[in-house]
Amino acid sequence: MANCLVAQSGGPTAVINASLAGVIRANQLNPLYDHVFGGLHGIEGTLEGNLCDLTHLSGRDIEVLKQTPSSALGTCRYKFSEEADFQRLIDVMDANNIDTMFYIGGNGSMSTVSTMATWAAEHDVSKRFIGIPKTVDNDLGIMDHCPGFASAAKVACEITHATRMDYDAYTRPEVFVLETMGRDAGWLAASTFMTGDVDLLVLPEVDFRRSIFLEQVRAKMEQQGSCYVVISEGARWYDGTYLSANGKAADGLGHAMLGGAAGRLKSMIVEAGIAPRCVVQDLSRVARSSNFAMSLVDFEEAYDLGVCAHMRSFDPTFTGKVVGILRGATEDGDYNAEFFACDAAQVANYVKRFPTEWILPNYQGITQEAMDYFRPLIQGEPKLICENGIPVTLKPFNRR
């Protein structure tokens, strides 16, 4: 038998390693491959031949890997496009007798899967490429939702509620602004509205209008003496520019560096004289790395997708595909995940925006339909292996 390769790329999530564990464990139970190799630091490290053998990871290590946040193999943001990259990857795979590559990532990673599968077919190269999705932004198309999002949403909701309680303890006039991740889609910010604690919601899907927003903040302060605002980092002006962009590229994909949208709102609010103080809370990486507050639904689905990808790779024609999740229901009408596969090209470099029909006007929040979408995804908490009161984590393979 040949070997397989698994790599991770893009921003990590709390459950990205559960998908990795799913591939490893599935091969232990049904050995389609002699060895499961891990590519360190995604495609970038793989091109350098930086691999580690994950085949015989112990049962306990697999359980700990499942609950370990961030990318246990290391990650990257690398634009894979040069002809030399294609050939170099094939050379690395040939040198290690690798037949199949599983790539865990977001939009860009699924583009790599699609591109590599197409290149291999055009050059009559018998290598296969399979995508396993992850992103806290929940912006991959076709699928109902993406592993990593639900856990980030659960953390965001918990922090929203806790900080609202803290905020309400004071009598001093101030506005509270919480910023979440979400470059081009407002799914994560929108999910916080489920708590009932958010007064105003600013999403990338609606052009930001300063006068309307400040008018709503002033009205909330006059009506209730407080205003709790949630804003996505990707909020933008009518001309498409981000409120928080500093004009510099943050990664190898040329994305503008974001972060600071809440600070911009703070400046507007204080300068308008609406409140003398404005408190800012930036969730940033907290939402995607908080393994201590994962959604059980998310945790289990991420693992199952890893198993599903491995299982489907039994078919020698299965390449250029991505496994994903559709929303199903039990006989009692309860939420139930259904797994499927589609062409990677269908989700590559495509952003699934938060539906505008789910957004209330004038920053007033989201509809009941949107909350019904979110609620089943954040249910439950996995039972974690802990030592000294803290969840145990596996030492990252790229740090060994």
Side-chain angles (χ1 to χ4, degrees):
M1 294 186 293
N3 303 319
C4 73
L5 167 71
V6 191
Q8 303 167 318
S9 73
T13 77
V15 300
I16 188 172
N17 293 321
S19 294
L20 171 61
V23 175
I24 299 168
R25 185 57 179 154
N27 198 67
Q28 291 178 348
L29 296 173
N30 181 25
L32 301 179
Y33 307 97
D34 282 330
H35 293 275
V36 177
F37 289 112
L40 304 182
H41 293 294
I43 197 70
E44 191 171 9
T46 299
L47 290 174
E48 298 298 321
N50 296 326
L51 312 181
C52 62
D53 195 335
L54 307 171
T55 313
H56 303 296
L57 213 60
S58 70
R60 186 180 190 280
D61 279 353
I62 288 177
E63 290 303 309
V64 173
L65 175 62
K66 288 166 63 176
Q67 69 180 45
T68 298
S70 188
S71 299
L73 293 170
T75 187
C76 71
R77 292 190 183 277
Y78 181 81
K79 189 171 180 60
F80 185 87
S81 60
E82 299 296 328
E83 182 70 18
D85 287 342
F86 290 96
Q87 190 56 58
R88 177 57 185 156
L89 179 56
I90 298 303
D91 290 344
V92 170
M93 294 176 75
D94 281 341
N96 293 277
N97 193 29
I98 294 169
D99 166 76
T100 303
M101 177 177 178
F102 299 96
Y103 208 18
I104 308 173
N107 309 74
S109 303
M110 298 309 102
S111 177
T112 298
V113 169
S114 176
T115 302
M116 274 305 309
T118 300
W119 187 92
E122 291 174 348
H123 291 76
D124 197 27
V125 174
S126 58
K127 304 294 184 186
R128 296 185 295 144
F129 303 88
I130 300 169
I132 303 174
K134 67 86 217 166
T135 176
V136 299
D137 290 344
N138 199 37
D139 60 354
L140 272 71
I142 309 297
M143 57 200 72
D144 179 79
H145 58 279
C146 191
F149 165 70
S151 290
K154 187 179 184 76
V155 172
C157 286
E158 292 177 346
I159 292 178
T160 295
H161 185 62
T163 52
R164 180 73 202 225
M165 296 288 288
D166 182 271
Y167 173 48
D168 286 344
Y170 296 90
T171 59
R172 61 195 181 205
E174 62 184 17
V175 176
F176 194 102
V177 184
L178 180 142
E179 180 177 337
T180 73
M181 285 185 162
R183 172 177 296 276
D184 297 310
W187 295 93
L188 186 55
S191 71
T192 65
F193 202 77
M194 285 190 294
T195 63
D197 297 308
V198 180
D199 293 312
L200 299 175
L201 181 64
V202 183
L203 304 176
E205 286 76 8
V206 178
D207 295 341
F208 182 75
R209 303 286 177 170
R210 183 178 184 275
S211 59
I212 296 175
F213 171 74
L214 292 178
E215 178 183 301
Q216 297 303 316
V217 176
R218 192 183 302 276
K220 293 293 182 182
M221 291 299 291
E222 291 175 353
Q223 293 166 8
Q224 60 192 32
S226 62
C227 184
Y228 192 110
V229 182
V230 173
I231 184 171
S232 172
E233 65 176 357
R236 61 193 74 196
W237 301 99
Y238 67 91
D239 64 356
T241 57
Y242 296 104
L243 264 69
S244 62
N246 64 11
K248 296 181 180 178
D251 54 42
L253 302 179
H255 293 152
M257 183 182 293
L258 300 185
R264 292 295 300 274
L265 293 189
K266 173 181 178 179
S267 297
M268 293 178 198
I269 292 166
V270 174
E271 289 170 3
I274 297 173
R277 272 176 55 93
C278 186
V279 177
V280 168
Q281 180 72 58
D282 184 2
L283 282 186
S284 187
R285 301 188 182 193
V286 172
R288 77 184 192 192
S289 63
S290 298
N291 66 322
F292 52 83
M294 289 183 287
S295 152
L296 178 61
V297 170
D298 195 28
F299 180 77
E300 292 180 341
E301 289 180 350
Y303 177 79
D304 289 344
L305 272 183
V307 173
C308 178
H310 176 274
M311 176 186 70
R312 289 175 183 262
S313 74
F314 176 77
D315 178 357
T317 67
F318 193 77
T319 185
K321 303 289 186 180
V322 176
V323 293
I325 305 169
L326 295 177
R327 184 169 300 228
T330 64
E331 292 183 359
D332 296 327
D334 296 329
Y335 166 82
N336 187 50
E338 296 179 357
F339 301 104
F340 77 109
C342 66
D343 290 337
Q346 292 181 269
V347 297
N349 291 322
Y350 169 78
V351 175
K352 182 180 73 173
R353 313 292 295 278
F354 186 75
T356 54
E357 62 269 24
W358 287 358
I359 304 173
L360 299 177
N362 298 329
Y363 310 105
Q364 297 302 307
I366 59 176
T367 65
Q368 184 61 49
E369 185 178 3
M371 289 191 279
D372 291 342
Y373 166 86
F374 288 129
R375 191 164 290 112
L377 304 182
I378 65 170
Q379 299 304 310
E381 299 82 29
K383 183 174 178 56
L384 302 179
I385 301 170
C386 294
E387 290 181 1
N388 299 317
I390 299 174
V392 178
T393 59
L394 206 64
K395 184 174 182 179
F397 299 101
N398 63 305
R399 293 293 182 182
R400 299 187 181 189

